[in-house]
Amino acid sequence: MPLKDWLAALLVIVIWGVNFVVIKVGLNDVPPLLLGGLRFSLVAFPAIFFVKRPTVGWRALMLYAFTISFAQFIFLFTAIYIGMPAGLSSLVMQSQAFFTVLIAAMFLGERVRRHNVIGIAVAVLGLVLIGWGATPGSVPILGFVLTLCSALCWAVGNIIIKGFGKVDMVALVVWGALIPPIPFFVLSWFVEGPAQIHYALVNISVLGIGAVFYLAFISTNVGFTLWGRLLSKHPVSKIAPLSLLIPVIGLVSSWLMLGEHMTLLQWVSGAIVVVGLAMNIFGMKLLPRLARR
């Protein structure tokens, strides 16, 4: 990949790594369904009046919006709201990389090479060890399952984006955000109730407002636009595993900002993830050099 694409990928990794801390902060003031509605309302408006609709059909746009924008975050926000740690959420979400590569191989015919398999296996080992190093009893089972569901929705969304080919990602993100607020707000009204909605909006703190704006403009507008462009230009098997670095940022930021504990095993395991990622990305270049030696 060109240097500018590597830098774009690094920026997305940092944005989405810190994103889990921001979600936790936002959920302190706003319940999950309402938070989702507010987030995507700000993404869509007023930008939708100035951005031309992307060159994809309404059916495809709705499918993208349902997977990437609605389903992914209804699961993730709810998981964190019921007690899933922010740092561990950033870790479990990266199972999307494996879901994405598998789905791409099954439906797009993308070849998974030996170094991809080895690199992902090493990274999975690191991810498992990070989870194993978590404080016992700190992870709700339902929260873990919901986070896995969120990761699967993200993976399906990645494949949908890949199928679009060349598309204006700014337009796709903005117009894709037009649809989710409706189900988010409807569900919030019936599940969370008008009293909780009113209380959250009246008593939201400066940090809560900042969290909503970060989720809308930084995490969504910047993050998904750059990520989608990378997916459209490069093989899924090369881009998706980059997200394995997100839990490293997520664990460190949650430790620094939320006081979530990281054990020595988790630090070492994070390094193993990076090694697996390097093998997956650079394997084709490294293997011939190792063979010559």
Short mmCIF file of all heavy atoms in Angstrom, two decimals, residues 221-284:
data_model
loop_
_atom_site.label_atom_id
_atom_site.label_comp_id
_atom_site.label_asym_id
_atom_site.label_seq_id
_atom_site.Cartn_x
_atom_site.Cartn_y
_atom_site.Cartn_z
N ASN A 221 -17.83 9.87 10.61
CA ASN A 221 -17.50 10.59 9.38
C ASN A 221 -16.06 10.35 8.93
O ASN A 221 -15.80 10.03 7.77
CB ASN A 221 -17.74 12.09 9.56
CG ASN A 221 -19.22 12.44 9.54
OD1 ASN A 221 -20.05 11.62 9.18
ND2 ASN A 221 -19.56 13.64 9.95
N VAL A 222 -15.13 10.51 9.86
CA VAL A 222 -13.71 10.33 9.50
C VAL A 222 -13.36 8.85 9.42
O VAL A 222 -12.81 8.38 8.42
CB VAL A 222 -12.80 11.05 10.52
CG1 VAL A 222 -11.34 10.78 10.18
CG2 VAL A 222 -13.07 12.54 10.52
N GLY A 223 -13.68 8.09 10.48
CA GLY A 223 -13.28 6.70 10.55
C GLY A 223 -13.84 5.83 9.44
O GLY A 223 -13.09 5.15 8.72
N PHE A 224 -15.17 5.85 9.26
CA PHE A 224 -15.78 4.97 8.27
C PHE A 224 -15.47 5.41 6.84
O PHE A 224 -15.40 4.58 5.95
CB PHE A 224 -17.28 4.87 8.50
CG PHE A 224 -17.66 3.87 9.55
CD1 PHE A 224 -17.94 4.27 10.84
CD2 PHE A 224 -17.70 2.53 9.25
CE1 PHE A 224 -18.27 3.35 11.82
CE2 PHE A 224 -18.02 1.59 10.21
CZ PHE A 224 -18.30 2.00 11.51
N THR A 225 -15.30 6.70 6.64
CA THR A 225 -14.94 7.17 5.30
C THR A 225 -13.57 6.65 4.89
O THR A 225 -13.40 6.09 3.79
CB THR A 225 -14.95 8.71 5.25
OG1 THR A 225 -16.27 9.19 5.51
CG2 THR A 225 -14.51 9.20 3.87
N LEU A 226 -12.58 6.79 5.76
CA LEU A 226 -11.24 6.32 5.46
C LEU A 226 -11.21 4.79 5.33
O LEU A 226 -10.57 4.23 4.44
CB LEU A 226 -10.26 6.78 6.53
CG LEU A 226 -9.97 8.28 6.60
CD1 LEU A 226 -9.02 8.58 7.75
CD2 LEU A 226 -9.38 8.78 5.28
N TRP A 227 -11.90 4.10 6.25
CA TRP A 227 -11.91 2.64 6.24
C TRP A 227 -12.55 2.11 4.95
O TRP A 227 -12.04 1.18 4.33
CB TRP A 227 -12.67 2.13 7.46
CG TRP A 227 -12.65 0.65 7.65
CD1 TRP A 227 -13.66 -0.24 7.40
CD2 TRP A 227 -11.56 -0.14 8.13
NE1 TRP A 227 -13.27 -1.52 7.72
CE2 TRP A 227 -11.98 -1.48 8.16
CE3 TRP A 227 -10.26 0.17 8.55
CZ2 TRP A 227 -11.16 -2.52 8.59
CZ3 TRP A 227 -9.44 -0.87 8.98
CH2 TRP A 227 -9.90 -2.18 9.00
N GLY A 228 -13.64 2.71 4.57
CA GLY A 228 -14.32 2.29 3.35
C GLY A 228 -13.45 2.50 2.11
O GLY A 228 -13.44 1.67 1.20
N ARG A 229 -12.73 3.62 2.07
CA ARG A 229 -11.85 3.88 0.93
C ARG A 229 -10.73 2.84 0.86
O ARG A 229 -10.36 2.38 -0.23
CB ARG A 229 -11.25 5.28 1.05
CG ARG A 229 -12.24 6.39 0.71
CD ARG A 229 -11.64 7.76 0.94
NE ARG A 229 -12.57 8.82 0.53
CZ ARG A 229 -12.37 10.10 0.75
NH1 ARG A 229 -11.28 10.51 1.40
NH2 ARG A 229 -13.26 10.99 0.35
N LEU A 230 -10.20 2.46 2.02
CA LEU A 230 -9.14 1.44 2.05
C LEU A 230 -9.67 0.11 1.55
O LEU A 230 -9.00 -0.59 0.78
CB LEU A 230 -8.59 1.30 3.47
CG LEU A 230 -7.77 2.48 4.00
CD1 LEU A 230 -7.49 2.32 5.50
CD2 LEU A 230 -6.45 2.60 3.25
N LEU A 231 -10.89 -0.26 1.97
CA LEU A 231 -11.49 -1.52 1.54
C LEU A 231 -11.76 -1.54 0.03
O LEU A 231 -11.65 -2.58 -0.62
CB LEU A 231 -12.79 -1.78 2.29
CG LEU A 231 -12.67 -2.28 3.74
CD1 LEU A 231 -14.03 -2.29 4.40
CD2 LEU A 231 -12.04 -3.67 3.78
N SER A 232 -12.12 -0.39 -0.50
CA SER A 232 -12.43 -0.32 -1.93
C SER A 232 -11.18 -0.38 -2.80
O SER A 232 -11.25 -0.75 -3.98
CB SER A 232 -13.22 0.96 -2.24
OG SER A 232 -12.42 2.11 -2.04
N LYS A 233 -10.01 -0.04 -2.23
CA LYS A 233 -8.77 0.02 -3.01
C LYS A 233 -7.88 -1.22 -2.85
O LYS A 233 -7.04 -1.49 -3.71
CB LYS A 233 -7.97 1.26 -2.60
CG LYS A 233 -8.61 2.58 -2.98
CD LYS A 233 -7.88 3.76 -2.35
CE LYS A 233 -6.45 3.85 -2.80
NZ LYS A 233 -5.78 5.03 -2.21
N HIS A 234 -8.04 -1.95 -1.75
CA HIS A 234 -7.12 -3.04 -1.45
C HIS A 234 -7.89 -4.31 -1.08
O HIS A 234 -9.05 -4.24 -0.67
CB HIS A 234 -6.19 -2.64 -0.30
CG HIS A 234 -5.44 -1.36 -0.55
ND1 HIS A 234 -4.37 -1.28 -1.41
CD2 HIS A 234 -5.63 -0.11 -0.05
CE1 HIS A 234 -3.92 -0.02 -1.43
NE2 HIS A 234 -4.67 0.69 -0.62
N PRO A 235 -7.25 -5.49 -1.19
CA PRO A 235 -7.93 -6.74 -0.83
C PRO A 235 -8.39 -6.74 0.63
O PRO A 235 -7.69 -6.23 1.51
CB PRO A 235 -6.83 -7.79 -1.05
CG PRO A 235 -5.91 -7.18 -2.05
CD PRO A 235 -5.91 -5.71 -1.74
N VAL A 236 -9.55 -7.32 0.86
CA VAL A 236 -10.09 -7.38 2.22
C VAL A 236 -9.12 -8.09 3.16
O VAL A 236 -8.96 -7.69 4.31
CB VAL A 236 -11.45 -8.12 2.21
CG1 VAL A 236 -11.92 -8.39 3.63
CG2 VAL A 236 -12.49 -7.28 1.48
N SER A 237 -8.44 -9.14 2.67
CA SER A 237 -7.53 -9.90 3.52
C SER A 237 -6.34 -9.07 3.99
O SER A 237 -5.68 -9.45 4.96
CB SER A 237 -7.03 -11.14 2.76
OG SER A 237 -6.37 -10.77 1.56
N LYS A 238 -6.06 -7.96 3.32
CA LYS A 238 -4.96 -7.09 3.76
C LYS A 238 -5.46 -6.00 4.70
O LYS A 238 -4.78 -5.62 5.65
CB LYS A 238 -4.28 -6.45 2.55
CG LYS A 238 -3.21 -5.43 2.92
CD LYS A 238 -2.40 -4.94 1.73
CE LYS A 238 -1.42 -6.01 1.29
NZ LYS A 238 -0.47 -5.52 0.25
N ILE A 239 -6.67 -5.48 4.45
CA ILE A 239 -7.17 -4.35 5.24
C ILE A 239 -7.80 -4.79 6.55
O ILE A 239 -7.51 -4.22 7.61
CB ILE A 239 -8.21 -3.55 4.41
CG1 ILE A 239 -7.54 -2.98 3.16
CG2 ILE A 239 -8.80 -2.41 5.25
CD1 ILE A 239 -6.34 -2.10 3.42
N ALA A 240 -8.66 -5.80 6.50
CA ALA A 240 -9.40 -6.20 7.70
C ALA A 240 -8.49 -6.55 8.88
O ALA A 240 -8.76 -6.13 10.01
CB ALA A 240 -10.31 -7.38 7.38
N PRO A 241 -7.37 -7.29 8.67
CA PRO A 241 -6.52 -7.61 9.83
C PRO A 241 -5.85 -6.40 10.47
O PRO A 241 -5.37 -6.50 11.60
CB PRO A 241 -5.47 -8.56 9.23
CG PRO A 241 -6.15 -9.17 8.05
CD PRO A 241 -6.98 -8.07 7.49
N LEU A 242 -5.81 -5.25 9.78
CA LEU A 242 -5.23 -4.06 10.40
C LEU A 242 -5.97 -3.67 11.67
O LEU A 242 -5.40 -3.08 12.59
CB LEU A 242 -5.26 -2.88 9.41
CG LEU A 242 -4.30 -2.95 8.22
CD1 LEU A 242 -4.59 -1.82 7.25
CD2 LEU A 242 -2.86 -2.90 8.67
N SER A 243 -7.24 -4.03 11.72
CA SER A 243 -8.05 -3.68 12.89
C SER A 243 -7.60 -4.41 14.15
O SER A 243 -8.04 -4.09 15.25
CB SER A 243 -9.53 -3.98 12.62
OG SER A 243 -9.71 -5.37 12.44
N LEU A 244 -6.71 -5.39 13.99
CA LEU A 244 -6.19 -6.10 15.17
C LEU A 244 -5.39 -5.19 16.08
O LEU A 244 -5.16 -5.51 17.24
CB LEU A 244 -5.33 -7.29 14.72
CG LEU A 244 -6.08 -8.43 14.03
CD1 LEU A 244 -5.10 -9.44 13.45
CD2 LEU A 244 -7.02 -9.11 15.00
N LEU A 245 -4.95 -4.05 15.56
CA LEU A 245 -4.23 -3.08 16.39
C LEU A 245 -5.18 -2.25 17.24
O LEU A 245 -4.76 -1.62 18.21
CB LEU A 245 -3.38 -2.15 15.51
CG LEU A 245 -2.07 -2.73 14.98
CD1 LEU A 245 -1.42 -1.74 14.03
CD2 LEU A 245 -1.13 -3.06 16.12
N ILE A 246 -6.45 -2.22 16.87
CA ILE A 246 -7.42 -1.40 17.60
C ILE A 246 -7.52 -1.78 19.07
O ILE A 246 -7.54 -0.90 19.93
CB ILE A 246 -8.81 -1.44 16.91
CG1 ILE A 246 -8.72 -0.78 15.53
CG2 ILE A 246 -9.87 -0.75 17.76
CD1 ILE A 246 -10.00 -0.88 14.72
N PRO A 247 -7.57 -3.09 19.42
CA PRO A 247 -7.65 -3.42 20.84
C PRO A 247 -6.43 -3.00 21.64
O PRO A 247 -6.54 -2.77 22.85
CB PRO A 247 -7.83 -4.94 20.85
CG PRO A 247 -7.34 -5.40 19.53
CD PRO A 247 -7.67 -4.31 18.59
N VAL A 248 -5.27 -2.92 21.00
CA VAL A 248 -4.09 -2.43 21.71
C VAL A 248 -4.32 -0.99 22.15
O VAL A 248 -4.09 -0.62 23.31
CB VAL A 248 -2.84 -2.54 20.82
CG1 VAL A 248 -1.62 -1.98 21.55
CG2 VAL A 248 -2.59 -3.99 20.40
N ILE A 249 -4.81 -0.16 21.21
CA ILE A 249 -5.15 1.23 21.55
C ILE A 249 -6.31 1.27 22.54
O ILE A 249 -6.31 2.05 23.49
CB ILE A 249 -5.52 2.03 20.28
CG1 ILE A 249 -4.39 1.98 19.26
CG2 ILE A 249 -5.87 3.47 20.64
CD1 ILE A 249 -3.10 2.61 19.72
N GLY A 250 -7.30 0.41 22.31
CA GLY A 250 -8.47 0.39 23.20
C GLY A 250 -8.12 0.02 24.63
O GLY A 250 -8.59 0.64 25.57
N LEU A 251 -7.27 -0.99 24.79
CA LEU A 251 -6.87 -1.42 26.13
C LEU A 251 -6.05 -0.36 26.84
O LEU A 251 -6.24 -0.08 28.02
CB LEU A 251 -6.10 -2.74 26.05
CG LEU A 251 -6.93 -3.98 25.75
CD1 LEU A 251 -6.03 -5.13 25.34
CD2 LEU A 251 -7.79 -4.36 26.94
N VAL A 252 -5.12 0.25 26.11
CA VAL A 252 -4.27 1.29 26.72
C VAL A 252 -5.10 2.51 27.08
O VAL A 252 -4.97 3.07 28.19
CB VAL A 252 -3.13 1.68 25.76
CG1 VAL A 252 -2.37 2.90 26.29
CG2 VAL A 252 -2.16 0.53 25.57
N SER A 253 -5.97 2.96 26.17
CA SER A 253 -6.77 4.16 26.44
C SER A 253 -7.77 3.93 27.57
O SER A 253 -8.02 4.82 28.39
CB SER A 253 -7.50 4.62 25.17
OG SER A 253 -8.37 3.61 24.69
N SER A 254 -8.35 2.72 27.63
CA SER A 254 -9.29 2.44 28.72
C SER A 254 -8.58 2.34 30.06
O SER A 254 -9.14 2.67 31.11
CB SER A 254 -10.05 1.14 28.43
OG SER A 254 -9.17 0.03 28.39
N TRP A 255 -7.34 1.89 30.03
CA TRP A 255 -6.52 1.84 31.24
C TRP A 255 -6.18 3.24 31.72
O TRP A 255 -6.32 3.57 32.90
CB TRP A 255 -5.26 1.03 30.96
CG TRP A 255 -4.24 1.07 32.07
CD1 TRP A 255 -4.42 0.75 33.38
CD2 TRP A 255 -2.88 1.46 31.95
NE1 TRP A 255 -3.25 0.90 34.09
CE2 TRP A 255 -2.29 1.33 33.23
CE3 TRP A 255 -2.09 1.87 30.87
CZ2 TRP A 255 -0.94 1.63 33.47
CZ3 TRP A 255 -0.74 2.16 31.12
CH2 TRP A 255 -0.19 2.05 32.39
N LEU A 256 -5.77 4.11 30.78
CA LEU A 256 -5.37 5.46 31.13
C LEU A 256 -6.55 6.35 31.49
O LEU A 256 -6.47 7.16 32.42
CB LEU A 256 -4.59 6.10 29.96
CG LEU A 256 -3.22 5.49 29.63
CD1 LEU A 256 -2.65 6.14 28.37
CD2 LEU A 256 -2.26 5.67 30.80
N MET A 257 -7.67 6.22 30.77
CA MET A 257 -8.79 7.14 30.92
C MET A 257 -9.88 6.64 31.85
O MET A 257 -10.57 7.45 32.49
CB MET A 257 -9.39 7.45 29.54
CG MET A 257 -8.42 8.06 28.56
SD MET A 257 -9.18 8.34 26.93
CE MET A 257 -7.74 8.76 25.95
N LEU A 258 -10.06 5.33 31.92
CA LEU A 258 -11.13 4.78 32.74
C LEU A 258 -10.62 4.00 33.94
O LEU A 258 -11.42 3.57 34.78
CB LEU A 258 -12.04 3.87 31.89
CG LEU A 258 -12.74 4.52 30.69
CD1 LEU A 258 -13.51 3.47 29.91
CD2 LEU A 258 -13.65 5.65 31.13
N GLY A 259 -9.31 3.77 33.99
CA GLY A 259 -8.75 3.01 35.10
C GLY A 259 -8.99 1.52 34.99
O GLY A 259 -8.85 0.80 35.99
N GLU A 260 -9.36 1.02 33.79
CA GLU A 260 -9.53 -0.42 33.62
C GLU A 260 -8.16 -1.09 33.69
O GLU A 260 -7.21 -0.66 33.05
CB GLU A 260 -10.21 -0.72 32.28
CG GLU A 260 -11.65 -0.26 32.24
CD GLU A 260 -12.36 -0.66 30.94
OE1 GLU A 260 -11.71 -1.29 30.08
OE2 GLU A 260 -13.55 -0.33 30.80
N HIS A 261 -8.09 -2.15 34.47
CA HIS A 261 -6.81 -2.77 34.77
C HIS A 261 -6.29 -3.62 33.62
O HIS A 261 -7.04 -4.35 32.98
CB HIS A 261 -6.96 -3.66 36.02
CG HIS A 261 -5.69 -4.36 36.42
ND1 HIS A 261 -4.57 -3.68 36.81
CD2 HIS A 261 -5.38 -5.68 36.46
CE1 HIS A 261 -3.61 -4.55 37.10
NE2 HIS A 261 -4.08 -5.77 36.89
N MET A 262 -5.00 -3.49 33.35
CA MET A 262 -4.32 -4.34 32.37
C MET A 262 -3.23 -5.13 33.07
O MET A 262 -2.38 -4.56 33.75
CB MET A 262 -3.70 -3.50 31.25
CG MET A 262 -4.67 -3.04 30.19
SD MET A 262 -3.81 -2.23 28.82
CE MET A 262 -2.78 -3.55 28.20
N THR A 263 -3.25 -6.43 32.92
CA THR A 263 -2.23 -7.28 33.54
C THR A 263 -1.01 -7.37 32.63
O THR A 263 -1.04 -6.98 31.45
CB THR A 263 -2.79 -8.69 33.77
OG1 THR A 263 -3.08 -9.28 32.50
CG2 THR A 263 -4.06 -8.65 34.62
N LEU A 264 0.06 -7.90 33.18
CA LEU A 264 1.28 -8.10 32.39
C LEU A 264 0.99 -9.03 31.21
O LEU A 264 1.50 -8.82 30.10
CB LEU A 264 2.38 -8.69 33.27
CG LEU A 264 3.70 -9.04 32.57
CD1 LEU A 264 4.32 -7.79 31.94
CD2 LEU A 264 4.67 -9.69 33.54
N LEU A 265 0.17 -10.06 31.46
CA LEU A 265 -0.18 -10.99 30.39
C LEU A 265 -0.87 -10.27 29.23
O LEU A 265 -0.63 -10.58 28.06
CB LEU A 265 -1.09 -12.09 30.94
CG LEU A 265 -1.61 -13.12 29.92
CD1 LEU A 265 -0.44 -13.82 29.23
CD2 LEU A 265 -2.51 -14.13 30.60
N GLN A 266 -1.73 -9.28 29.55
CA GLN A 266 -2.42 -8.54 28.49
C GLN A 266 -1.45 -7.70 27.68
O GLN A 266 -1.59 -7.57 26.46
CB GLN A 266 -3.52 -7.67 29.10
CG GLN A 266 -4.72 -8.48 29.58
CD GLN A 266 -5.77 -7.60 30.23
OE1 GLN A 266 -5.46 -6.76 31.08
NE2 GLN A 266 -7.02 -7.80 29.85
N TRP A 267 -0.46 -7.11 28.33
CA TRP A 267 0.55 -6.33 27.61
C TRP A 267 1.33 -7.24 26.65
O TRP A 267 1.54 -6.90 25.49
CB TRP A 267 1.52 -5.67 28.59
CG TRP A 267 0.96 -4.45 29.27
CD1 TRP A 267 0.50 -4.36 30.55
CD2 TRP A 267 0.82 -3.14 28.70
NE1 TRP A 267 0.07 -3.07 30.81
CE2 TRP A 267 0.26 -2.31 29.70
CE3 TRP A 267 1.11 -2.59 27.46
CZ2 TRP A 267 -0.01 -0.96 29.49
CZ3 TRP A 267 0.83 -1.24 27.25
CH2 TRP A 267 0.28 -0.44 28.26
N VAL A 268 1.78 -8.39 27.16
CA VAL A 268 2.54 -9.34 26.33
C VAL A 268 1.67 -9.85 25.18
O VAL A 268 2.11 -9.97 24.03
CB VAL A 268 3.05 -10.52 27.18
CG1 VAL A 268 3.70 -11.57 26.30
CG2 VAL A 268 4.04 -10.03 28.24
N SER A 269 0.41 -10.12 25.49
CA SER A 269 -0.52 -10.63 24.48
C SER A 269 -0.76 -9.60 23.38
O SER A 269 -0.91 -9.95 22.21
CB SER A 269 -1.84 -11.02 25.13
OG SER A 269 -1.62 -11.99 26.14
N GLY A 270 -0.79 -8.34 23.75
CA GLY A 270 -0.93 -7.28 22.75
C GLY A 270 0.24 -7.28 21.77
O GLY A 270 0.06 -7.06 20.57
N ALA A 271 1.43 -7.55 22.29
CA ALA A 271 2.61 -7.65 21.42
C ALA A 271 2.48 -8.84 20.47
O ALA A 271 2.90 -8.76 19.31
CB ALA A 271 3.86 -7.78 22.27
N ILE A 272 1.92 -9.94 20.95
CA ILE A 272 1.71 -11.12 20.10
C ILE A 272 0.75 -10.79 18.96
O ILE A 272 0.93 -11.22 17.82
CB ILE A 272 1.18 -12.30 20.94
CG1 ILE A 272 2.24 -12.76 21.94
CG2 ILE A 272 0.76 -13.46 20.03
CD1 ILE A 272 1.76 -13.85 22.88
N VAL A 273 -0.28 -10.00 19.27
CA VAL A 273 -1.23 -9.57 18.23
C VAL A 273 -0.50 -8.80 17.13
O VAL A 273 -0.73 -9.01 15.93
CB VAL A 273 -2.35 -8.71 18.84
CG1 VAL A 273 -3.22 -8.10 17.73
CG2 VAL A 273 -3.22 -9.54 19.77
N VAL A 274 0.40 -7.90 17.54
CA VAL A 274 1.14 -7.10 16.57
C VAL A 274 2.02 -8.00 15.69
O VAL A 274 2.13 -7.80 14.48
CB VAL A 274 2.01 -6.05 17.29
CG1 VAL A 274 2.89 -5.30 16.30
CG2 VAL A 274 1.12 -5.06 18.04
N VAL A 275 2.65 -9.01 16.30
CA VAL A 275 3.47 -9.96 15.53
C VAL A 275 2.62 -10.69 14.51
O VAL A 275 3.00 -10.84 13.33
CB VAL A 275 4.15 -10.97 16.48
CG1 VAL A 275 4.82 -12.08 15.68
CG2 VAL A 275 5.18 -10.26 17.36
N GLY A 276 1.45 -11.17 14.94
CA GLY A 276 0.55 -11.85 14.01
C GLY A 276 0.11 -10.95 12.87
O GLY A 276 0.03 -11.37 11.71
N LEU A 277 -0.16 -9.69 13.20
CA LEU A 277 -0.56 -8.73 12.19
C LEU A 277 0.56 -8.52 11.17
O LEU A 277 0.32 -8.50 9.96
CB LEU A 277 -0.92 -7.40 12.86
CG LEU A 277 -1.27 -6.23 11.94
CD1 LEU A 277 -2.51 -6.56 11.12
CD2 LEU A 277 -1.49 -4.97 12.76
N ALA A 278 1.79 -8.39 11.66
CA ALA A 278 2.93 -8.19 10.76
C ALA A 278 3.12 -9.40 9.84
O ALA A 278 3.40 -9.24 8.64
CB ALA A 278 4.19 -7.96 11.58
N MET A 279 2.95 -10.60 10.37
CA MET A 279 3.07 -11.80 9.55
C MET A 279 1.99 -11.83 8.47
O MET A 279 2.25 -12.21 7.32
CB MET A 279 2.96 -13.05 10.43
CG MET A 279 4.11 -13.26 11.39
SD MET A 279 3.85 -14.67 12.48
CE MET A 279 3.84 -16.01 11.29
N ASN A 280 0.79 -11.43 8.83
CA ASN A 280 -0.32 -11.45 7.89
C ASN A 280 -0.13 -10.45 6.75
O ASN A 280 -0.41 -10.73 5.59
CB ASN A 280 -1.63 -11.16 8.61
CG ASN A 280 -2.83 -11.30 7.71
OD1 ASN A 280 -3.24 -12.38 7.36
ND2 ASN A 280 -3.39 -10.16 7.31
N ILE A 281 0.39 -9.27 7.09
CA ILE A 281 0.52 -8.20 6.11
C ILE A 281 1.78 -8.33 5.27
O ILE A 281 1.76 -8.15 4.05
CB ILE A 281 0.49 -6.82 6.80
CG1 ILE A 281 -0.86 -6.61 7.47
CG2 ILE A 281 0.76 -5.70 5.79
CD1 ILE A 281 -0.93 -5.36 8.31
N PHE A 282 2.90 -8.64 5.91
CA PHE A 282 4.19 -8.63 5.23
C PHE A 282 4.69 -10.03 4.87
O PHE A 282 5.81 -10.18 4.41
CB PHE A 282 5.23 -7.94 6.10
CG PHE A 282 4.87 -6.52 6.45
CD1 PHE A 282 4.55 -6.18 7.75
CD2 PHE A 282 4.84 -5.53 5.48
CE1 PHE A 282 4.21 -4.87 8.08
CE2 PHE A 282 4.51 -4.23 5.80
CZ PHE A 282 4.19 -3.90 7.10
N GLY A 283 3.87 -11.04 5.07
CA GLY A 283 4.31 -12.42 4.85
C GLY A 283 4.87 -12.67 3.47
O GLY A 283 5.90 -13.33 3.32
N MET A 284 4.24 -12.14 2.44
CA MET A 284 4.69 -12.38 1.07
C MET A 284 6.07 -11.79 0.83
O MET A 284 6.83 -12.28 0.00
CB MET A 284 3.68 -11.79 0.07
CG MET A 284 2.35 -12.54 0.04
SD MET A 284 2.53 -14.26 -0.46
CE MET A 284 2.98 -14.04 -2.19
#
